[in-house]
């Protein structure tokens, strides 16, 4: 069920967009569900991702990102030291987040004033190669297009959690690829 609440008022002040980019962090400006779900400023997330975020929808109200309406990113709660994937959803001015999947989120996971380090956005990060296009060569869950494989998007899985093949066409001339960065655990 979708829970409707009163308009959200932050419990702590949000730092500016510049602080987010320099530190790779999101500041928790408030919590819901006894700290299982946190609130953050979408402007900060937009600054980190190089965009203004995504559209909001009730699809993500239960903490499950479907249809490209949010993102799942690797994070660490600086206060608790817990590290894993967080799912982020919502719209301006304040988004919501919790440990991914939502069933792993528990009361007290987050507190107002906490900082979520987005591990793949910590500075300095190597510049990604410019991608001209993404082509999905296999089926994908929720039939999402291949561009959802990018960091800061909801992610991409194969149809019914099976094999996924995505082709990247890089901009410009020849590129030497020395490695691939992913937010998947090493044991996959």
């Amino acid at each position: 069920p979708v829970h409707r609440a009163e308009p959200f008022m932050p419990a702590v002040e949000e730092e500016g967009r510049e602080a987010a980019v320099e530190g790779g962090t999101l500041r928790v400006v408030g919590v819901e569900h006894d700290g299982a779900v946190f609130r953050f400023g979408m402007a900060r997330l937009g600054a980190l991702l190089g965009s203004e975020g995504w559209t909001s929808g009730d699809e993500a109200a239960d903490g499950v990102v479907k249809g490209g309406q949010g993102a799942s990113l690797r994070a660490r709660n600086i206060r608790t030291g817990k590290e894993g994937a967080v799912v982020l959803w919502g719209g301006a001015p304040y988004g919501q987040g919790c440990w991914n999947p939502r069933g792993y989120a528990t009361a007290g996971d987050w507190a107002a004033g906490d900082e979520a380090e987005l591990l793949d956005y910590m500075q300095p990060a190597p510049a990604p190669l410019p991608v001209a296009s993404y082509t999905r060569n296999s089926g994908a869950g929720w039939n999402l297009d291949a561009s959802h494989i990018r960091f800061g998007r909801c992610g991409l899985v194969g149809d019914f959690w099976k094999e996924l093949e995505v082709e990247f066409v890089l901009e410009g001339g020849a590129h030497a690829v020395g490695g691939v960065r992913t937010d998947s655990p090493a044991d996959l």
Side-chain angles (χ1 to χ4, degrees):
V2 175
H3 301 282
R4 305 278 183 213
E6 295 296 315
F8 174 74
M9 296 300 294
V12 297
E13 269 190 55
E14 178 185 22
E15 294 177 0
R17 292 169 60 99
E18 297 77 20
V21 174
E22 289 173 11
T25 62
L26 291 178
R27 174 173 276 231
V28 174
V29 297
V31 296
E32 297 176 359
H33 305 285
D34 297 322
V37 174
F38 64 92
R39 290 286 201 140
F40 62 91
M42 287 295 289
R44 277 187 85 144
L45 182 63
L48 283 167
L49 302 181
S51 71
E52 291 305 312
W54 51 83
T55 57
S56 177
D58 289 339
E59 302 88 1
D62 60 0
V64 177
V65 175
K66 294 181 181 174
Q69 299 297 317
S72 181
L73 301 171
R74 291 184 329 116
R76 177 186 308 116
N77 181 327
I78 295 174
R79 175 181 57 89
T80 66
K82 182 174 180 177
E83 188 175 311
V86 291
V87 60
L88 307 172
W89 71 94
Y94 298 104
Q96 295 174 280
C98 65
W99 293 113
N100 187 23
R102 172 67 168 95
Y104 288 8
T106 59
D109 280 343
W110 302 95
D114 279 356
E115 289 186 335
E117 284 184 316
L118 300 180
L119 301 176
D120 294 308
Y121 290 89
M122 302 301 294
Q123 298 293 327
L129 294 173
V131 178
S133 67
Y134 304 86
T135 303
R136 194 184 67 207
N137 296 326
S138 63
W142 302 285
N143 202 31
L144 293 175
D145 69 59
S147 67
H148 286 286
I149 200 165
R150 299 183 329 244
F151 281 100
R153 300 298 302 171
C154 64
L156 209 56
V157 297
D159 226 1
F160 297 99
W161 303 98
K162 294 187 177 164
E163 184 177 284
L164 173 69
E165 183 180 321
V166 176
E167 180 179 333
F168 296 77
V169 175
L170 303 175
E171 292 179 1
H175 293 277
V177 177
V180 176
R181 189 173 71 168
T182 179
D183 56 0
S184 295
D187 60 345
L188 284 181

